[in-house]
Amino acid sequence: MPETSDIFLFNKVKNGDTVAFEEIFRRYYNDLARYCFTLVRDETIAEEITQEVYIYLWEKKDNIEISSSLKSYLFSAIRNKSINYIKYELPKQRILIDISDTVLVEGTVFHEKNDIKRLKKKIQVSINQLPEKCKQIFLLSRYGGMTYKEIAEDLDLSVKTVENQMSIALKKLRDLLESDLKNYLNE
Amino acid sequence: MTYRNMNRSWLEKYDQPQTPGKTPKDEFDAFIELSSDPTVVFDEDKAWDRVSSRLSMTPAKKRFDYSIILKVAAVVVLAAFTFLLYQVSLTDNPQLVEVTTTDAPLNYTLPDGSTVYLDANSTLSFQEDFNERIVTFDGRGFYDVVKGGSTFTIQMHDLSVTVLGTSFSVETSDNQFRSFVKEGLVQVSDTHSSRMVKPGEILTYQKSDKKFAIAANDNPNILAWKTGKFIFKNTPFDEVTDNLEKYYKVNFRNAHQFKGCLVTAEFDQQDLTEVLAVLGEILNLEFKISQTEVKTLGKVCK
């Protein structure tokens, strides 16, 4: 049986059809959450944002007009929400020290390729340990796909400041990860 | 290449907007990109349960026929359901669970599987649902915390201890707090600052001047209050009795007079009378026990 088209399903959603809504939910949930994860680099936050987008979709279904496709609507909603999260919510987050992660970053150099999972974690943690402003700018540029100019305008900073923060971020990451990078490349 | 130049050259690589999922440009790029983990799989069912319950949708497993009558019925059912949920939430407030020991210690397992060995005269309390893994504690305890998604926090007056998964002991008295870490890392914070305690270290916090001190632990009997295993090597008598007091819950009244006597012995959960018999034999001393008081009699060692 061919898949019911998105637009057909969304029209049903507009009439309050929860079954159609569930179908749309399941069709894109994992793709959206994964995309969101590449933006915010935190699994819990990624799921939260994705669920918020769906909840918004249901609550505002009467006012939402899809111009292109539902899929691209959902993906750009995720992107906007993620960027807003990085801009406004991330700086407010209470810094919770994840102790095992701190040990990971300070104590370990990875030699084995099969340590890839811990290595991934270490990179994530290193990014998370950047100073707040640095991290925000790094994430916006690197994962939010924004140019320096866009970031500068958005955060009300000069392009020069954004550049400086980026080079601080990169230097710090390089310092934290240099030996791991070497090991990783040598194998 | 100087550091500045190196930075510059990375910067140029990052100067263009990046699209997530795009082929990485170089090694550093690919390396950093490792953290995005495109293989991660999210739990769709759980997510749907959350979203549908937040939108107060009944689980939409079966298809509805949207005739007017059914619509009305659905609204009624939904309203009744919401009302029921509301009632349940009223009566089902998270309960505070309190565990208190008096004479005897107790091994207690928390809802997340972590265990606490509460020494006598200690109190542990927590919210029944235990979502946030926060406990309030007073007394002496040994914690074995299982690794979970979130941190585990112990609150003791104005101090808090945060860990992820590790084993350690904590001890509060009127004027002092002590924590000994066996495995993992423990963070101890007061309202102003915090300290990390590593395995084998012991942190002491004086409540009077709010100061932390961390030292390597050199007492092999630091956990003997829990294990009942004692190792003494040329240990002064009063230090021996300090350790014994915590496990056997007795008070050696005049032990300091005999601190010149050195003890080399090992005990493993023996009865107090047996331990005292051994000590008496080694040091040529006698002991008089009345209830929880132990008096030492004999000649002071030189």
Side-chain angles (χ1 to χ4, degrees), chain B residues 13 22 48 53 60 90 96 100 107 119 126 151-152 158 170 185 196 205 225 229 234 238 241 260 280:
Chain B
K13 282 173 195 147
K22 217 171 85 175
W48 172 248
S53 78
L90 274 186
L96 193 72
T100 303
N107 215 347
D119 200 7
F126 57 92
T151 53
F152 186 103
D158 46 357
V170 294
L185 254 192
M196 292 284 202
Y205 177 82
W225 63 268
K229 288 181 185 167
N234 290 323
D238 59 336
T241 54

Side-chain angles (χ1 to χ4, degrees), chain A residues 164-179:
Chain A
N164 289 339
Q165 290 289 331
M166 270 304 276
S167 76
I168 292 169
L170 290 168
K171 183 183 178 313
K172 282 192 190 266
L173 284 179
R174 189 74 158 189
D175 286 350
L176 280 168
L177 297 168
E178 189 130 47
S179 47

Side-chain angles (χ1 to χ4, degrees), chain B residues 263-282:
Chain B
V263 178
T264 299
E266 290 188 20
F267 302 107
D268 190 355
Q269 302 185 323
Q270 277 114 318
D271 286 342
L272 181 62
T273 47
E274 208 177 310
V275 172
L276 293 180
V278 173
L279 289 176
E281 190 70 28
I282 306 172

Side-chain angles (χ1 to χ4, degrees), chain A residues 25-76:
Chain A
F25 183 90
R26 291 181 182 276
R27 189 172 286 182
Y28 293 117
Y29 183 76
N30 249 290
D31 289 345
L32 291 172
R34 222 173 285 130
Y35 172 63
C36 191
F37 177 62
T38 65
L39 302 177
V40 297
R41 308 276 151 150
D42 181 307
E43 290 175 40
T44 317
I45 300 296
E47 289 215 79
E48 206 119 291
I49 289 176
T50 310
Q51 289 168 20
E52 287 293 330
V53 164
Y54 274 110
I55 285 166
Y56 183 87
L57 183 75
W58 177 262
E59 282 175 342
K60 304 280 171 197
K61 56 188 181 298
D62 297 333
N63 308 323
I64 295 174
E65 292 304 327
I66 306 286
S67 52
S68 50
S69 77
L70 179 69
K71 189 176 169 182
S72 64
Y73 168 85
L74 287 171
F75 273 84
S76 52

Side-chain angles (χ1 to χ4, degrees), chain A residues 16 18-19 21-22 25-26 29-30 33-34 37-39 41 43 47-48 51-52 55 58-59 96-100 103 119-120 123-124 141-143 145 147-148 163 166-167 170-171 173-175 177 180-181 184-185, chain B residues 3 6-8 10-11 14-15 17-18 20 27-29 31-45 47-48 50-51 54-55 57 60-64 66 71 147 151 162-164 185-187 196:
Chain A
T18 55
V19 177
F21 182 66
E22 183 175 353
F25 183 90
R26 291 181 182 276
Y29 183 76
N30 249 290
R34 222 173 285 130
F37 177 62
T38 65
L39 302 177
R41 308 276 151 150
E43 290 175 40
E47 289 215 79
E48 206 119 291
Q51 289 168 20
E52 287 293 330
I55 285 166
W58 177 262
E59 282 175 342
L96 233 185
I97 299 173
D98 183 329
I99 286 160
S100 73
V103 182
L119 182 57
K120 279 177 187 175
I123 296 167
Q124 277 176 35
S141 155
R142 204 59 199 88
Y143 307 133
T147 62
Y148 290 176
E163 265 180 35
M166 270 304 276
S167 76
L170 290 168
K171 183 183 178 313
L173 284 179
R174 189 74 158 189
D175 286 350
L177 297 168
D180 297 299
L181 174 64
Y184 178 73
L185 295 177
Chain B
Y3 224 108
M6 258 159 77
N7 273 342
R8 202 66 235 170
W10 299 334
L11 261 185
Y14 289 94
D15 223 7
Q18 306 282 324
E27 292 126 352
F28 189 65
D29 222 35
F31 185 65
I32 290 293
E33 216 37 56
L34 281 174
S35 70
S36 77
D37 193 1
T39 60
V40 62
V41 177
F42 297 96
D43 189 341
E44 220 169 79
D45 292 329
W48 172 248
R50 272 192 69 190
V51 167
R54 273 185 62 186
L55 294 172
M57 288 171 177
K61 284 278 181 274
K62 49 183 184 281
R63 259 169 212 284
F64 293 112
Y66 282 98
K71 247 186 194 169
K147 231 175 159 8
T151 53
T162 311
V163 296
L164 214 94
L185 254 192
V186 169
Q187 184 190 30
M196 292 284 202

